[in-house]
Amino acid sequence: MKLESILLGVLARHPSTGYDLKKYMDTHGRFLRSNTQMSQVYRALGKMESSGWVTHTVQRRAGATDAKTYRITDEGMTVFLDWLTGPYSPPTRFQDPDFGARLAFAGFMTREQLLRLIDTELTTRRAEVARYRFRDRREPVDARAPFDENLATLVGEWAHESGAQAIDAHLERLEMLRRVLLDAPEGAVAPDLLARLHDVR
């Protein structure tokens, strides 16, 4: 997943300055991508503008640096929606941000598109649990430095159990969201949907 996809999603919601986009990445978007620098935001904006995906206007400010406000173009919106609603190939790690980034812009999807995305993620992660949960985790050791196999086993098993709990929680939360989406009537408003989400817990 590229930074451009996230920035296009933000710009699809509202025009923003580079500073606004960096602020988004530091707050709402901090779980979608790690440590985004201002220079990366401006580089991505320059690339997107060259590609015709965004355009900007300049607001003159006396005694301060002029502000550029970026807006998504029709072509940029097409690129964004193609990424958002196109085929989703889950990465090998469920913690990778591609799925979460798509969920962050769920407002641009239909309920059916969102359900399809969730079903793809659930199917992939259930298959991973079935394949890897009870695998043989022993590894041969022929170390060239002092190696404490008991300590390595302890930490390895702790990591495996932590990962198992995390993916189980991920699956449980997705199944909960899926039930709400399937059961809620069309046109349900946010407070009603949130109430349903709390009810299925």
Side-chain angles (χ1 to χ4, degrees):
M1 188 202 59
K2 298 181 178 178
L3 174 59
E4 288 85 351
S5 300
I6 301 172
L7 298 183
L8 284 172
V10 177
L11 292 171
R13 292 183 71 148
H14 51 72
S16 302
T17 64
Y19 174 81
D20 294 333
L21 292 168
K22 172 68 165 79
K23 187 175 175 184
Y24 174 88
M25 296 307 300
D26 290 343
T27 54
H28 302 297
R30 67 190 303 258
F31 298 110
L32 307 181
R33 190 173 192 280
S34 297
N35 304 320
T36 303
Q37 303 301 313
M38 194 79 229
S39 59
Q40 293 171 309
V41 171
Y42 280 118
R43 233 184 349 263
L45 286 168
K47 181 180 173 186
M48 292 190 298
E49 192 157 27
S50 296
S51 298
W53 301 349
V54 302
T55 186
H56 77 269
T57 55
V58 178
Q59 178 186 354
R60 306 286 178 205
R61 298 190 296 188
T65 306
D66 294 342
K68 289 183 180 179
T69 299
Y70 292 86
R71 288 173 174 75
I72 194 168
T73 63
D74 289 345
E75 185 177 351
M77 187 63 82
T78 298
V79 169
F80 169 68
L81 293 175
D82 284 350
W83 164 76
L84 182 66
T85 62
Y88 167 60
S89 298
T92 56
R93 291 171 10 102
F94 78 93
Q95 303 95 328
D96 288 352
D98 190 51
F99 180 74
R102 291 169 192 254
L103 286 185
F105 301 110
F108 290 104
M109 295 186 215
T110 64
R111 192 180 297 200
E112 291 73 26
Q113 289 168 330
L114 181 54
L115 282 165
R116 189 167 54 245
L117 175 67
I118 291 170
D119 286 344
T120 300
E121 178 75 358
L122 283 170
T123 299
T124 299
R125 302 311 170 197
R126 287 175 183 144
E128 288 175 347
V129 168
R131 182 172 182 187
Y132 297 114
R133 176 67 52 90
F134 302 107
R135 72 187 187 280
D136 182 356
R137 295 186 294 281
R138 294 171 298 178
E139 295 182 76
V141 176
D142 186 11
R144 293 187 173 188
F147 184 82
D148 187 332
E149 191 160 357
N150 292 316
L151 196 59
T153 300
L154 169 66
V155 172
E157 287 303 300
W158 169 84
H160 176 75
E161 289 177 17
S162 297
Q165 290 171 2
I167 197 166
D168 288 348
H170 177 66
L171 289 169
E172 182 182 339
R173 299 285 298 162
L174 280 179
E175 287 162 356
M176 188 184 306
L177 177 59
R178 186 178 190 279
R179 278 198 304 276
V180 169
L181 290 168
L182 286 172
D183 295 344
E186 283 297 325
V189 295
D192 295 336
L193 292 171
L194 290 172
R196 285 174 180 270
L197 186 61
H198 294 135
D199 288 345
V200 297
R201 289 181 182 168

